[in-house]
Amino acid sequence: MSPDGEPKAERQRAYAYLRKHLLMVDSELSRAEERLAYFAEATGLELAAVFVEDIETAPAAFERFIRAVVLDKVEVVLLPSLLHLAVLGAPTHIKDNFEAATGAKVLTTLDAVSYEPGEAVS
């Protein structure tokens, strides 16, 4: 319920995936997760889960991410940028294949950049 007693509109659920890089420190990871959460909030999405890929165990988190998206029928997934898919192959091909296989739309926080007045969300 909202403060005025009206039922809250349900937001579309989204999952996110990000890959740690070799020299990533905890504060940088936290900032990346915060940017994903901000982007989700600004675009009216509910960020329900963030899958973080560790270098040592790759692609374990990506595999869990795909399974969760399919099983939970998530229609939107978030990435900081397509570069987070680069170690799996050409990022645009991975994005296209992911969207075709899961039916989920891939958005990046870079999608928030707009040069139209009043359209930027970050």
Side-chain angles (χ1 to χ4, degrees):
M1 288 280 186
S2 66
D4 60 0
E6 294 293 318
K8 280 189 176 182
E10 192 170 311
R11 295 183 296 159
Q12 186 175 26
R13 184 176 45 172
Y15 288 170
Y17 172 81
L18 66 92
R19 181 176 178 81
K20 286 184 181 178
H21 61 75
L22 185 60
L23 301 175
M24 184 176 258
V25 295
D26 290 341
S27 61
E28 188 177 359
L29 176 60
S30 294
R31 283 192 307 276
E33 291 174 326
E34 288 169 7
R35 281 192 303 275
L36 288 164
Y38 175 80
F39 179 83
E41 182 71 26
T43 55
L45 298 168
E46 173 195 349
L47 184 57
V50 177
F51 294 79
V52 178
E53 191 74 73
D54 287 312
I55 295 168
E56 300 84 19
T57 58
F62 187 74
E63 291 169 355
R64 286 192 311 276
F65 176 60
I66 291 174
R67 276 195 305 277
V69 168
V70 171
L71 290 173
D72 299 340
K73 298 180 173 83
V74 172
E75 296 178 359
V76 178
V77 298
L78 307 177
L79 304 171
S81 76
L82 289 181
L83 292 176
H84 287 260
L85 301 177
V87 297
L88 301 167
T92 54
H93 291 137
I94 297 297
K95 174 189 177 286
D96 293 343
N97 290 337
F98 182 91
E99 289 179 337
T102 65
K105 176 74 176 152
V106 175
L107 300 177
T108 70
T109 57
L110 299 177
D111 293 334
V113 176
S114 170
Y115 298 101
E116 299 290 324
E119 299 232 351
V121 293
S122 67

